[in-house]
Amino acid sequence: MRWVYIEDIVGHSGREVEVRGWIYNKRSSGKVRFLLVRDGTGLLQGTMYSTEKDAPLFLTFDALTQESSVIVRGKVREEKRAPGGYELEISDIEIVQIARDYPITPKEHSTPFLMDHRHLWLRSQKQHAVLRVRAEVVKAIRDFFDGRGFRLMDTPILTPSACEGTTTLFETEYFDQKAYLSQSGQLYNEATAMAFGKVYCFGPTFRAERSKTRKHLIEFWMVEPEVAFATLEDVTELGEDLVLSIIERVLGKRRAELETLERDPKPLERVQKPFPRLKYEEILPRLQEKGSTVKSGDDFGAPEEAILSELYDVPVCVSHFPAAIKAFYMQPAPGRPDLALGVDFIASEGYGEIIGGGQRIHDLALLEQRIQEHKLPREAYEWYLDLRKYGSVPHSGFGLGVERTVSWMCGIKHIRETIPFPRLLYRIYP
Ligand code: 4AD
Ligand code: MG
């Protein structure tokens, strides 16, 4: 008998098949027994009929518990009332293992309890849907860059220097030297961009964030394109296209998951190009009018992001921040050296900053000065300075956080559910 996955069952109507999975639920109704089996790709209803309550198949049914592993065999039948529109007329059940006292029952559980059982929680429908959306987002990102001729460059995770400020660095030993877990692949990508023109890296990044929020992970995944000769405006457009292509893919291929999550697709459907472009100095008074206590020169935080979501029902691009609050590598604005040519994309509906990036300093003397001002150890950046000595060109890029993007797509308020095993301030288990 042919082993099929539930998501492929459509093509097997009328055939005898085998499904391998786990018991999600069961119920009986008179002479019929219903099993809900999950196999990782979907849920399938199995039915058994008998006039005798101790028919062998019914006895096996009675022994089954939530999350017991089974191989069920039977004939596929179209059934409008069943989840997915098909059911299996079960003729045989092979028990692989009986699960005893599965801890996550259909009742409500507290978040700490679920987080302690994350390794099992992943099996429940909502978590399953979120992670399928995540996989689609990752695929959409790769297809987007590969389709535009960007080269994938895997930048190192163990690094000798900081990219995004020294306060969130994770330090580790590298034999007899100090090393840090990468906060961003950007600096290395500036080198690969000068070698390959347009590149992207895609990998895990680490920040020792001391604040406990719904939007911060300690370990998160970031995709970072970098383009030689590109300006702030060029990469802002690139970011818009990327965000649109992710939304299009999720709406096109993961509608069922969004439904499971009760995610209203309308806020995603209305996102169009161009996104509103706001300069820091222009938007500041509007934020203050709406009750923000942010002062000129301050960075935006969660309250400002929330107000921006009230003002706009689509993502916005905020640029021209005070240079003082931005990273050392940011190119100053022409005629306004106090402003940086950086851009942040703030997602709609309060999901916060999903993209941060901008134009990089390409002038050697200015970059040397910034490294000094930021008290960074010059020796660790010699190679980075070389890029400004040998064929330096204006160049730009950005980083998009995968988990924040998935939160937004799924309408999930807490980022911890968007990665299989979240690393949080007070949690490294499981
Ligand atoms: O704005 P950030 O810090 O930018 C950079 O790291 C640049 N070096 C990227 C570049 O230009 N190549 O981070 C970029 C994005 C943020 O907009 C956010 O989506 C995500 O990474 N991010 C986090 N996501 C989850 N948890 C955290 N602690 C995050 N920190 C940043
Ligand atoms: Mg940022």
Side-chain angles (χ1 to χ4, degrees):
M1 215 176 279
R2 179 111 176 257
W3 169 21
V4 297
Y5 281 99
I6 295 168
E7 67 181 353
D8 304 324
I9 211 97
V10 194
H12 294 273
S13 192
R15 284 196 211 140
E16 296 278 334
V17 302
E18 180 175 291
V19 171
R20 303 180 183 185
W22 298 264
I23 303 298
Y24 200 71
N25 218 334
K26 66 174 192 177
R27 69 189 165 89
S28 36
S29 164
K31 301 182 177 82
V32 196
R33 300 285 180 272
F34 295 95
L35 270 187
L36 209 50
V37 179
R38 56 163 202 93
D39 75 345
T41 72
L43 278 177
L44 181 66
Q45 174 171 293
T47 56
M48 287 162 271
Y49 178 86
S50 175
T51 50
E52 288 163 56
K53 69 172 180 18
D54 46 8
L57 212 48
F58 277 21
L59 295 178
T60 312
F61 173 92
D62 290 341
L64 295 175
T65 53
Q66 190 190 350
E67 287 306 315
S68 285
S69 39
V70 290
I71 298 175
V72 291
R73 303 184 178 93
K75 194 167 165 188
V76 181
R77 206 162 65 83
E78 233 174 295
E79 169 55 69
K80 296 230 155 34
R81 287 165 300 176
Y86 289 84
E87 68 176 16
L88 194 70
E89 285 172 20
I90 297 179
S91 54
D92 180 41
I93 302 174
E94 185 182 324
I95 293 173
V96 180
Q97 195 235 353
I98 292 289
R100 306 248 174 250
D101 305 323
Y102 185 67
I104 305 179
T105 55
K107 68 164 193 170
E108 288 270 314
H109 294 283
S110 71
T111 304
F113 178 86
L114 290 169
M115 289 299 291
D116 282 341
H117 294 86
R118 182 66 179 165
H119 50 297
L120 303 176
W121 189 23
L122 295 175
R123 302 179 187 191
S124 57
Q125 261 191 297
K126 199 175 146 202
Q127 299 308 311
H128 190 260
V130 175
L131 294 178
R132 277 173 60 108
V133 171
R134 179 189 171 101
E136 200 62 57
V137 166
V138 170
K139 181 82 164 67
I141 291 169
R142 288 206 179 282
D143 289 346
F144 176 86
F145 287 113
D146 294 343
R148 290 185 172 220
F150 282 67
R151 286 301 143 225
L152 174 69
M153 293 289 140
D154 301 310
T155 51
I157 288 175
L158 289 166
T159 67
S161 51
C163 179
E164 294 301 321
T166 48
T167 53
T168 64
L169 275 179
F170 259 111
E171 197 177 304
T172 181
E173 276 167 33
Y174 194 81
F175 306 105
D176 53 359
Q177 291 180 54
K178 252 195 237 168
Y180 309 100
L181 299 183
S182 176
Q183 298 168 305
S184 158
Q186 179 195 322
L187 305 187
Y188 292 97
N189 258 352
E190 292 183 51
T192 61
M194 299 306 141
F196 297 86
K198 47 184 178 180
V199 298
Y200 73 102
C201 63
F202 198 167
T205 40
F206 307 84
R207 309 243 174 127
E209 309 268 7
R210 303 279 172 192
S211 54
K212 201 177 161 194
T213 80
R214 294 160 178 267
K215 291 178 189 157
H216 289 87
L217 288 167
I218 303 303
E219 180 178 317
F220 64 97
W221 282 64
M222 181 155 61
V223 61
E224 299 179 82
E226 192 70 32
V227 186
F229 295 99
T231 60
L232 172 68
E233 183 54 32
D234 294 329
V235 289
T236 306
E237 276 177 41
L238 184 69
E240 275 174 348
D241 287 342
L242 172 63
V243 170
L244 281 170
S245 118
I246 294 171
I247 292 178
E248 200 176 298
R249 178 72 75 86
V250 170
L251 290 175
K253 289 202 145 183
R254 291 290 164 244
R255 285 256 172 199
E257 283 75 5
L258 298 189
E259 262 170 50
T260 300
L261 297 165
E262 295 170 23
R263 168 50 157 150
D264 177 6
K266 279 185 224 82
L268 300 175
E269 283 163 353
R270 70 173 154 250
V271 178
Q272 278 180 14
K273 244 185 19 176
F275 301 169
R277 309 286 168 92
L278 316 169
K279 286 189 173 151
Y280 176 92
E281 287 180 343
E282 294 161 4
I283 194 68
L284 198 68
R286 294 183 60 200
L287 294 172
Q288 290 164 336
E289 257 166 51
K290 287 272 173 188
S292 158
T293 54
V294 71
K295 295 184 298 297
S296 181
D298 288 352
D299 206 353
F300 295 167
E304 288 68 42
E305 291 177 353
I307 298 172
L308 282 172
S309 299
E310 281 169 33
L311 294 173
Y312 297 90
D313 64 358
V314 290
V316 296
C317 304
V318 185
S319 66
H320 297 74
F321 292 92
I325 55 168
K326 286 291 176 184
F328 76 96
Y329 53 69
M330 288 220 182
Q331 174 72 15
R336 282 295 302 272
D338 57 322
L339 300 181
L341 292 183
V343 64
D344 282 358
F345 284 46
I346 313 297
S348 39
E349 304 170 83
Y351 289 94
E353 183 199 316
I354 49 168
I355 284 183
Q359 196 168 322
R360 328 302 190 186
I361 292 173
H362 58 278
D363 178 72
L364 178 63
L366 181 58
L367 187 59
E368 284 175 322
Q369 186 192 323
R370 285 286 196 278
I371 286 176
Q372 205 172 21
E373 284 165 3
H374 285 253
K375 301 193 173 55
L376 296 167
R378 188 189 156 112
E379 337 65 83
Y381 295 85
E382 281 300 345
W383 67 270
Y384 186 64
L385 290 166
D386 271 356
L387 305 174
R388 278 74 183 170
K389 291 179 194 160
Y390 308 112
S392 188
V393 297
H395 58 287
S396 306
F398 62 79
L400 171 130
V402 169
E403 291 77 12
R404 294 217 190 140
T405 307
V406 174
S407 291
W408 180 36
M409 294 297 112
C410 292
I412 296 275
K413 295 289 178 201
H414 202 300
I415 199 166
R416 66 186 161 218
E417 293 179 39
T418 63
I419 185 163
F421 294 97
R423 306 288 90 150
L424 299 164
L425 183 53
Y426 298 114
R427 177 175 292 279
I428 196 172
Y429 177 91

